[in-house]
Every structure is written in structure tokens, then in C-alpha cells.
Amino acid sequence: MDNSNIIPELVKKSERGRYGDFPVFFLTGLFKYGLFFVGIGIFLIVSFLLIKEKLSQSSNTKPNKKTLENVENYAENRILRLVVFHNFGKHEKIISEKATSEIIRNTMNSINWNKFHIVQLEDENHNALHVSGSLSDDGLASTFTKGDNLILMVKPIETVEQMVEILINFLKGEEIWRNKYKYE
């Protein structure tokens, strides 16, 4: 723009009296600064629209049908072994090499929870989620083992249905399970 001949030509014409001083300065300013402000305006509008879109995407936390299907597909592809221990861990019974929510429900409902039992879901890396205890004397608890680390669920468990829910959420994915329950 600075190398353009438009502005000097307007100044020459204004000296000859064809144009007044105001139109020359107005046109000069429009050429020199108008495009600058138009560019800034476009930048601000596009930035506003992008920020608005990003905020609407992050606030959309309702699970839609596609999200729920992805969770179900992930749970179906996860290979977790379901094992039940009784007599304080002396006897072990492998229920399934590939647990499903239906197998977990049926197993948990078939156990006599008046006696002490441990139910374990174990992944291929030997990380395991346990729910254990009895309704009569010991109470119910949940632990997670990863390598040599053992962490206990902070909030006490009161019902068998809560244990079923914990196991099924672990089956759906460790991320889902970790976001729902607190272990220390």
C-alpha cells in the first residue's frame, strides 16, 4: 500500500482544487487503515465462533446413542476373567475367561453372601478388581490391585447390587470405573 500511487495522485488533484481536503484525507485513511480494521474484525468474529463451538462441544456431556454403543462395544471387546474364591480364598473357581455383564449378574446373584466370598475380574495384565465380604459378619468391600499396589474403595459397600454395579462398570472400561468410584 505504501508503494501505491493512489494517495500521491489524490494529493496532486486536491492541490489543483478538484477535491476538498476532507475527502482526500478520508480516502487516504480508508485505503491505508480500512483494510487493517476489516482484517481485525474478521479475525475477532472467527475467533468468537471457534470459541463458541469449542465450549458447546465440551459442555455436551450427555451420552448420546453413539457414545453408549461405543461403551458397549468396548466392554464386549475387553477380555476379563471372572473368578470366585470361597472359604477365605482356599477354593478358587474360574467362572468365565471372557466375562460379560450377564455372567457377572448371574454369578453375583447365585452366591450365598451370608458367607465370605471374593469375586475377581482380572485383565490380561493381571490387574484385578475384587469385591468381597459377607452380609452377616464381615461387611462388603472392594479393592483394586495393579502390580504390587493394592488400593481400597473409600466409600463402604452396603449391598450386593452395588458390588454388581462396580464390576460391570469395570467391565465397561477402567476409565469409566475410575471416574465413578474413589479408591485410595
Side-chain angles (χ1 to χ4, degrees):
M1 277 286 210
D2 291 323
N3 295 331
S4 163
N5 291 334
I6 295 173
I7 296 173
E9 285 180 21
L10 286 173
V11 171
K12 283 182 185 177
K13 286 182 183 180
S14 69
E15 289 174 357
R16 286 182 278 180
R18 187 169 175 192
Y19 297 108
D21 289 331
F22 177 74
V24 170
F25 288 119
F26 177 76
L27 289 174
T28 304
L30 183 64
F31 284 125
K32 202 164 192 175
Y33 300 107
L35 294 176
F36 175 73
F37 288 113
V38 168
I40 288 177
I42 291 171
F43 176 78
L44 290 174
I45 290 170
V46 169
S47 297
F48 172 77
L49 292 174
L50 289 173
I51 291 170
K52 182 180 173 186
E53 183 179 335
K54 183 70 173 172
L55 288 175
S56 69
Q57 285 178 353
S58 65
S59 67
N60 187 11
T61 57
K62 280 185 178 179
N64 57 24
K65 187 176 180 181
K66 189 172 184 176
T67 304
L68 293 175
E69 287 173 1
N70 288 343
V71 167
E72 292 299 321
N73 290 339
Y74 182 73
E76 289 173 8
N77 293 331
R78 225 169 153 215
I79 299 173
L80 297 176
R81 185 165 87 167
L82 182 65
V83 181
V84 175
F85 300 91
H86 58 90
N87 201 9
F88 294 96
K90 292 180 182 174
H91 295 73
E92 171 185 334
K93 182 178 181 185
I94 298 172
I95 305 298
S96 174
E97 290 293 333
K98 189 174 188 313
T100 64
S101 36
E102 184 178 336
I103 293 171
I104 292 170
R105 268 191 207 289
N106 291 339
T107 301
M108 293 295 287
N109 290 332
S110 69
I111 294 173
N112 177 4
W113 286 102
N114 290 319
K115 295 182 179 182
F116 186 86
H117 286 83
I118 302 169
V119 177
Q120 169 182 296
L121 272 177
E122 182 179 349
D123 67 13
E124 62 276 356
N125 299 322
H126 304 292
N127 300 324
L129 176 71
H130 307 92
V131 291
S132 60
S134 71
L135 292 171
S136 58
D137 297 327
D138 304 308
L140 305 173
S142 177
T143 58
F144 178 67
T145 56
K146 187 170 191 167
D148 292 334
N149 296 328
L150 175 74
I151 52 176
L152 184 65
M153 186 174 177
V154 173
K155 185 179 177 187
I157 301 171
E158 297 176 6
T159 66
V160 174
E161 189 56 39
Q162 286 175 321
M163 291 193 301
V164 171
E165 182 183 322
I166 291 167
L167 291 170
I168 290 175
N169 282 314
F170 186 73
L171 176 69
K172 289 179 181 176
E174 202 170 317
E175 294 294 321
I176 294 169
W177 167 77
R178 283 194 184 276
N179 289 331
K180 208 165 189 186
Y181 306 101
K182 185 175 180 180
Y183 284 71
E184 289 182 357

